[in-house]
Amino acid sequence: MYKESLIQVHERIKPHIHRTPVLTSRLINSLASANVYFKCENFQRMGAFKMRGATNAIMQLPEDHKSKGVVTHSSGNFAQALSLAAQSLGVRAYIVMPKTAPQVKKNAVKDYGGLIIECEPTLEARELAAEKVVQTKGATFIHPSNDLNVILGQATAGKELLEDYPHLDYLFTPVGGGGLIAGTAIASKHFGKGCKVIGGEPMEADDAYRSLESGQIESNNSTNTIADGLKTQLGSINFPIIQQGVEQIIRVEETEIIHAMKLIWERMKIICEPSSAVALASLLKKKSNYKDQNIGIIISGGNVDLSELPF
C-alpha cells in the first residue's frame, strides 16, 4: 500500500540527500560465511540516514506550517538531521535537547542552524518543552521515528540498496525508535524479491525484541548500552509495520557490538557509530542461519565522539 508513496518520497528528497555508496569486505564475507553488502549511511549528509526522513517530513508540510518552523526533541542524530534539513529548505528548526547532552552534539545542531531549547534530562521535560514551542511559536512537531513521513523517508535507504542489489535474501538494520527498520520493511516488501528484514538490538535495551514477543510496545527499565542511538522505544505508527514486516530481532551483547564496530573501522576503513555496528554483530552472532546468503546491512550513521571510543 506504500509503494507509490515511497517512489514519490524518493523523487522528492533526491535533490537534498546523497545516494550513499555500497561497500563490501572480503574478510567480513569470510567471517560471516555470506556475501555482505553495506549501505553506508555514515556518508549521508549530517552523517546518518535520518536526513532522509527529516527532509521528507518537512517537505510534506503545507506552506503556512513551514513558515512557522518545526520542532523536535532529540539529543542525537535526529536533532542534527532536522536542523540541516530545515536549513536546506529555508525553514526554522527548534531543537529541544537535555542539558546533559554532549557539547559536541549541541555544537553540531548549532552549526546546522538549529535553535536549541535546553531542558531537564527526562522524557517528560523534553515533551513539555517541545509542546511549549508548538503553543508559543506555532511550530509543527516532528517525531524522530513515529511519523509516517519520517518512516517513508528512511525507507529510501533500503530502496536504494535493493535497486543496486535486487537479489538480497536478507536486510539487517539496527533497531532503536523503529523508524529505520519499519521503513526498511516497507522497502523490502515492495522492492525486494522475497527479501526478509532482520533487526539487531542491544541486550541491554531489548524493548523491540520483547515487544514482538508480547504483541504490545514494551519499555526498558535501564539502557546501559554503548549503542546510545538505540535507547528509544517503538511507537504506535511504526510498531504495526514492524510486526507485519520484520522476520526477527537478534539481541547482542556489548562485547559483540564493540567487536563488530572495530571490524568495520579496521577492515573497511570507515567510521561507524556503535548503534550501526549492532546490525553486523547480529549477523555474526547467528551466522550459521545465513550461510552463503546475500545480506544487506544498513550502516545507519557515523557520528562518533572520537574522545570516547571503546577500543
Side-chain angles (χ1 to χ4, degrees), residues 180-255:
L180 178 61
I181 196 167
T184 303
I186 292 170
S188 180
K189 178 179 179 179
H190 295 299
F191 294 92
K193 298 180 178 178
C195 180
K196 297 175 181 177
V197 176
I198 308 292
E201 193 171 40
M203 195 74 75
E204 298 292 333
D206 67 344
D207 54 298
Y209 174 88
R210 289 183 286 108
S211 296
L212 282 187
E213 291 280 302
S214 70
Q216 62 187 26
I217 296 172
E218 303 288 349
S219 301
N220 292 307
N221 293 323
S222 63
T223 53
N224 186 26
T225 176
I226 190 175
D228 60 315
L230 307 184
K231 294 181 178 182
T232 49
Q233 69 178 48
L234 306 181
S236 58
I237 297 171
N238 61 49
F239 183 48
I241 299 171
I242 293 166
Q243 283 180 300
Q244 292 176 18
V246 174
E247 178 86 357
Q248 181 186 11
I249 293 177
I250 298 169
R251 298 177 294 175
V252 290
E253 303 286 355
E254 296 299 293
T255 53

Side-chain angles (χ1 to χ4, degrees), residues 19-204:
R19 187 177 183 110
T20 51
V22 179
L23 301 181
T24 59
S25 162
R26 284 191 300 171
L27 178 108
I28 291 177
N29 285 351
S30 177
L31 287 174
S33 302
N35 303 308
V36 187
Y37 301 89
F38 292 92
K39 176 66 168 170
C40 295
E41 286 294 291
N42 50 330
F43 294 144
Q44 187 53 262
R45 292 184 70 200
M46 56 67 53
F49 73 94
K50 294 191 176 185
M51 183 66 185
R52 296 171 181 270
T55 300
N56 186 52
I58 295 174
M59 294 185 81
Q60 289 287 70
L61 294 176
E63 289 303 321
D64 61 329
H65 284 61
K66 288 180 188 174
S67 67
K68 295 176 182 176
V70 292
V71 59
T72 195
H73 53 75
S74 166
S75 60
N77 283 336
F78 197 74
Q80 296 174 53
L82 196 71
S83 299
L84 181 56
Q87 185 182 67
S88 300
L89 297 166
V91 174
R92 184 172 293 165
Y94 301 96
I95 311 296
V96 174
M97 301 183 79
K99 292 176 181 177
T100 53
Q103 192 60 45
V104 64
K105 294 186 177 181
K106 294 177 185 176
N107 292 343
V109 169
K110 289 176 183 175
D111 288 344
Y112 292 139
L115 302 168
I116 296 175
I117 295 101
E118 292 194 347
C119 68
E120 294 300 319
T122 66
L123 180 59
E124 182 183 19
R126 284 161 60 148
E127 290 176 343
L128 282 171
E131 181 58 28
K132 185 176 179 181
V133 175
V134 171
Q135 297 298 330
T136 59
K137 304 291 187 182
T140 300
F141 178 74
I142 297 179
H143 194 281
S145 56
N146 197 43
D147 178 305
L148 186 57
N149 288 323
V150 171
I151 292 166
L152 288 172
Q154 319 304 28
T156 60
K159 178 177 179 285
E160 288 178 2
L161 179 53
L162 288 163
E163 286 170 350
D164 291 341
Y165 295 93
H167 295 290
L168 291 179
D169 300 300
Y170 294 92
L171 235 171
F172 280 68
T173 83
V175 188
L180 178 61
I181 196 167
T184 303
I186 292 170
S188 180
K189 178 179 179 179
H190 295 299
F191 294 92
K193 298 180 178 178
C195 180
K196 297 175 181 177
V197 176
I198 308 292
E201 193 171 40
M203 195 74 75
E204 298 292 333

Side-chain angles (χ1 to χ4, degrees), residues 226-228 230 257 261 265 272-279 301 303-304 310:
I226 190 175
D228 60 315
L230 307 184
I257 299 170
M261 183 179 174
W265 281 59
C272 79
E273 56 196 66
S275 300
S276 299
V278 171
N303 293 324
V304 183

